[in-house]
Amino acid sequence: MLLLTALALAGGAVLTAQAPPPAYDPSKTFAPLTLPEPINSYRSSNGAPGPGYWQNSADYEIHANLDTTRKQLSATEVITYVNNSPDMLPSLWVQLDQNIYRKDARSNSIFGRPRTDFSDGIVFDSVEIEPGSHAAKAKADYIVSDTRMQIRLAEPLKGQGALLKIHIQYHYPIPGVWGGRTSWGMSKKGEIYDMAQWYPRMAVYDDLHGWDTLPYIGSEFYLEYGHFDYYVTAPSNMLIVGSGELKNPQEVLTKTQIERLTQARSSDKTVMIRTPEEIDDPASRPRGSSTLTWHFHMDNTRDVAFSASSVFVWDAARINLPDGAKSLAMSVYPVESVGDEGWGRSTEYLKHAVEQFSRKWFPYPYPAAINVAGFSTGMEYPGIVFDGIPDKGKQLFWITAHEIGHSWFPMIVGSNERRNAWMDEGFNTFIDIYESDEFQGGVYGPKRDSEYSAGGEPPDTILKVLNDPAAPVILTRADGFPFRLGHPVSYFKAAYGLRLLREQILGPERFDWAFRKYIRDWAYKHPSPSDFFRAMESEGGEDLAYFWRGWFMNNWTLDMAVKDAQYVKGDYRQGVSVTIANLGQLVLPNTVQVNFEDGSNARVPLPVETWISKGEYTFTLDSKQPILSVVLDPDHVIPDNDRTNDVLKK
Ligand SMILES: [Zn+2]
């Protein structure tokens, strides 16, 4: 909103206003910037992986049993771990995320109270090491500390490609709905199991922190890439959907279901695989044995998750990817979610989002994209997302697009979510903006989400965050955001920063080129914040130190003001002299518009260099007409902290 200031004419002055003295210090905004992570042979100055970049890998083979009577998962797991680093590893760190549910978990100190619902976490039946030297398997020497386990090796694991295997037998009680990201719960007709963080997995050993052992106290994950083969045995009346590709449909599905899946693979319209009417029909499951084993496989992934239920309705449709590639969108949901208002459109939403993100940013690499209606809602895993049973319409579209968008950040681009929430939630919230704008001509758009403010649209909603003295900066460790400010800063401020970068600073052509290269360069790898900053500068073609410092490392605000406008020698025919003051510490490219009496106007761009050595800028503009007003940011596209000084009006 613009507040217009009426001013009296005095002498030759047409427009005059009082601005507070400039507090802006150019030497702060434009000082040289040292980014947090260094340039070396692993990470190049152009933001791409360096010639010496390395990354360790972990392949998993897991045989799990889902015991729905005891509410317990038990499994045997073999991890093949390859140490590609130049370092010898005397020990290995493994993540045990189920231990977050223990009564003595460290995470309780975050919530300020002991859990009322808790579990024993992961219970080991055995942990063994099989050295790569073909020596026999031997009992592992390990200690457990909160959500981590350190295995101390008898022989250090050599670098440059040496490998070993870890054999683990374990079980854990499956949390109820209170489990949050993983749970079992009761829908109208039966139980739904959302199984995530369900196996011990390797912590990341990287060139930035060595073993990155931040405990699981609430923030998400940082995981190695590898190939997964996992087998889940469950009661035969259950349907299971999981990350990756189902390898044995002939053993776990009916002939009809296999035929319908084949049909879905060539259909852009959603095809029912199991209808609501078939849920109570025993013929909708193979007969014969009391349990069935489902085998899933997934390549180049950092994680896998699955859902199981006897009451899933199931539908699917083809996903069309660049260069003729295909994938499959699928949704499973209980009967209460059926209908075009609700989950009847989930697969359509999923398909559109995956196709759009693939076209715009990077082709979706996985064989399926699955949306599950259950109790662990609003959570993402590679190729599978968990959303809410009651989600409907716009809400279901938004959450589906958002959660599957995480397949790009952080599932393909493997950022460290536990340290850098903004490279996960911020990037993903940013790409959501364009998906909402494009789906059916923007019927569910615009999505410029800020739960921080009730209603309103950027750029002004962000001002509440920028002016909140309690607001952390974007470069805050993920667990360090107070609950109230986690979403506004790590999702919204970060996403809006990318939007400013794309639409106001670089322009879409330069931004998209650089961002796509960043995604390609870091697909299935581990970029740091500095890699992103350098990549956008180098390929975007702009020194952005002022923006990283102002927006990501500080909560600086922008406040530009029209300070003065005078006709040259008191005569409008000789031109008008306009003075703009920069009062805030944040600078962005801006525009001044001079409106003339005949309805015409003239625009003058103010690049950020305007402010590189000064806080006030006076320019002279030709004017054949008396002027009506001088306006800053006429299209209302930048977050100016004080709009009352953005206009001078006759
Ligand atoms: Zn998210």
Side-chain angles (χ1 to χ4, degrees):
M1 199 180 303
L2 304 177
L3 193 124
L4 305 179
T5 315
L7 289 151
L9 288 167
V14 281
L15 311 167
T16 308
Q18 293 302 313
Y24 166 69
D25 178 356
S27 69
K28 254 169 101 179
T29 296
F30 289 98
L33 179 66
T34 304
L35 292 171
E37 290 86 13
I39 296 164
N40 50 35
S41 69
Y42 311 131
R43 291 164 199 271
S44 290
S45 57
N46 65 0
Y53 181 82
W54 54 266
Q55 190 171 298
N56 294 351
S57 72
D59 295 340
Y60 294 82
E61 182 179 332
I62 309 169
H63 296 261
N65 186 61
L66 182 67
D67 184 336
T68 54
T69 311
R70 296 171 67 190
K71 309 293 185 243
Q72 176 179 286
L73 183 121
S74 55
T76 63
E77 175 189 30
V78 182
I79 308 173
T80 304
Y81 184 66
V82 183
N83 177 18
N84 293 314
S85 84
D87 310 322
M88 294 255 265
L89 300 178
S91 72
L92 307 173
W93 283 88
V94 177
Q95 306 201 34
L96 310 173
D97 295 323
Q98 286 296 321
N99 285 1
I100 198 173
Y101 302 119
R102 287 178 56 91
K103 202 173 188 177
D104 58 2
R106 242 191 231 199
S107 61
N108 294 333
S109 67
I110 299 280
F111 307 111
R113 57 186 157 72
R115 291 186 172 275
T116 49
D117 294 301
F118 57 91
S119 84
D120 294 335
I122 294 263
V123 180
F124 290 115
D125 302 306
S126 72
V127 182
E128 294 172 303
I129 294 292
E130 181 186 344
S133 56
H134 305 294
K137 260 196 310 193
K139 210 163 166 268
D141 173 17
Y142 67 87
I143 59 163
V144 172
S145 170
D146 198 58
T147 56
R148 298 85 39 96
M149 163 169 68
Q150 184 187 34
I151 302 176
R152 293 155 175 188
L153 299 172
E155 287 283 319
L157 178 61
K158 291 200 180 78
Q160 264 107 27
L163 65 81
L164 56 64
K165 290 178 196 270
I166 310 170
H167 296 252
I168 302 176
Q169 282 190 41
Y170 66 96
H171 61 272
Y172 71 83
I174 301 165
V177 170
W178 55 269
R181 291 185 180 138
T182 180
S183 66
W184 74 271
M186 196 69 182
S187 73
K188 203 167 163 187
K189 289 197 158 191
E191 296 168 354
I192 297 175
Y193 292 76
D194 289 333
M195 303 298 292
Q197 294 91 250
W198 59 282
Y199 57 96
R201 62 259 193 107
M202 297 307 300
V204 174
Y205 182 85
D206 66 20
D207 59 295
L208 300 169
H209 295 96
W211 285 109
D212 198 313
T213 57
L214 288 186
Y216 181 34
I217 55 176
S219 288
E220 293 172 346
F221 312 106
Y222 186 38
L223 300 163
E224 290 294 14
Y225 286 89
H227 309 297
F228 282 69
D229 262 300
Y230 61 104
Y231 301 78
V232 182
T233 301
S236 60
N237 65 344
M238 297 185 103
L239 282 180
I240 302 184
V241 287
S243 299
E245 187 183 359
L246 175 64
K247 298 301 283 184
N248 61 340
Q250 67 291 349
E251 289 170 23
V252 294
L253 301 178
T254 65
K255 207 166 148 270
T256 311
Q257 286 160 356
I258 292 172
E259 282 166 12
R260 291 173 182 172
L261 268 175
T262 305
Q263 195 192 330
R265 282 179 201 285
S266 57
S267 171
D268 290 322
K269 276 214 157 103
T270 302
V271 173
M272 294 306 296
I273 312 299
R274 192 200 203 191
T275 67
E277 297 71 37
E278 288 167 342
I279 284 170
D280 297 319
D281 180 0
S284 76
R285 298 297 302 128
R287 288 161 209 272
S289 85
S290 62
T291 62
L292 287 171
T293 299
W294 300 65
H295 174 202
F296 297 92
H297 179 86
M298 194 173 195
D299 289 319
N300 299 323
T301 184
R302 40 179 264 166
D303 196 5
V304 290
F306 65 92
S307 286
S309 176
S310 62
V311 299
F312 277 150
V313 176
W314 183 10
D315 66 38
R318 172 176 70 189
I319 296 172
N320 302 301
L321 299 171
D323 300 323
K326 310 285 178 214
S327 183
L328 190 65
M330 302 198 281
S331 301
V332 290
Y333 42 93
V335 282
E336 56 268 42
S337 300
V338 166
D340 278 354
E341 274 299 293
W343 280 69
R345 294 189 69 188
S346 160
T347 291
E348 177 192 348
Y349 299 156
L350 198 59
K351 169 181 159 68
H352 190 278
V354 173
E355 290 177 351
Q356 199 264 1
F357 294 145
S358 295
R359 264 198 316 272
K360 203 165 176 70
W361 306 116
F362 185 88
Y364 186 73
Y366 300 123
I370 306 166
N371 199 8
V372 179
F375 296 92
S376 291
T377 83
M379 194 53 203
E380 69 278 8
Y381 300 94
I384 188 167
V385 299
F386 300 162
D387 290 316
I389 293 169
D391 292 346
K392 283 191 167 46
K394 189 188 219 176
Q395 222 56 41
L396 179 62
F397 167 80
W398 279 0
I399 197 158
T400 300
H402 177 84
E403 301 310 338
I404 201 65
H406 279 298
S407 289
W408 282 262
F409 311 102
M411 306 309 169
I412 295 171
V413 179
S415 302
N416 185 341
E417 300 174 83
R418 205 159 283 175
R419 292 186 188 273
N420 305 301
W422 64 280
M423 296 176 81
D424 158 40
E425 297 300 353
F427 284 23
N428 187 26
T429 302
F430 165 71
I431 64 173
D432 289 348
I433 290 170
Y434 305 100
E435 168 58 6
S436 295
D437 287 351
E438 282 189 24
F439 181 78
Q440 294 186 351
V443 64
Y444 292 144
K447 180 175 183 269
R448 308 282 189 268
D449 61 324
S450 169
E451 290 172 11
Y452 195 67
S453 109
E457 287 291 303
D460 295 334
T461 49
I462 196 67
L463 298 175
K464 288 188 183 171
V465 180
L466 300 183
N467 289 304
D468 185 337
V473 299
I474 292 174
L475 294 197
T476 295
R477 193 179 120 183
D479 289 301
F481 289 101
F483 182 74
R484 173 177 75 84
L485 290 157
H487 183 100
V489 178
S490 67
Y491 289 64
F492 181 59
K493 189 185 177 195
Y496 186 41
L498 264 64
R499 196 159 157 257
L500 286 171
L501 188 57
R502 182 175 191 265
E503 290 168 20
Q504 306 308 324
I505 299 173
L506 295 178
E509 279 191 326
R510 289 163 67 197
F511 177 96
D512 291 356
W513 171 269
F515 196 48
R516 285 175 189 144
K517 179 173 188 295
Y518 164 79
I519 296 170
R520 277 198 312 276
D521 282 347
W522 291 100
Y524 320 109
K525 296 191 175 77
H526 299 312
S528 72
S530 306
D531 295 320
F532 169 71
F533 293 144
R534 292 186 181 113
M536 296 312 290
E537 291 194 343
S538 186
E539 279 307 302
E542 200 77 35
D543 184 336
L544 297 163
Y546 74 90
F547 186 56
W548 309 140
R549 180 186 278 115
W551 196 263
F552 292 84
M553 300 173 182
N554 290 284
N555 283 331
W556 285 352
T557 52
L558 177 145
D559 181 15
M560 291 183 193
V562 188
K563 192 181 176 193
D564 195 14
Q566 308 270 349
Y567 293 135
V568 174
K569 295 180 185 157
D571 178 5
Y572 70 81
R573 289 175 209 85
Q574 299 196 46
V576 61
S577 169
V578 176
T579 300
I580 306 295
N582 184 35
L583 308 174
Q585 202 60 48
L586 178 74
V587 299
L588 288 169
N590 206 342
T591 303
V592 188
Q593 180 169 308
V594 178
N595 294 313
F596 298 106
E597 254 184 23
D598 67 350
S600 65
N601 66 63
R603 284 188 169 198
V604 178
L606 295 176
V608 292
E609 288 79 4
T610 311
W611 315 110
I612 201 161
S613 63
K614 61 186 183 294
E616 244 182 56
Y617 173 54
T618 302
F619 61 90
T620 302
L621 188 78
D622 285 347
S623 60
K624 305 283 175 263
Q625 291 271 330
I627 62 176
L628 281 177
S629 60
V630 180
V631 183
L632 269 166
D633 185 23
D635 299 324
H636 204 153
V637 289
I638 63 170
D640 192 309
N641 205 27
D642 180 2
R643 290 199 178 272
T644 64
N645 58 22
D646 283 11
V647 176
L648 274 185
K649 201 180 175 191
K650 182 175 173 181

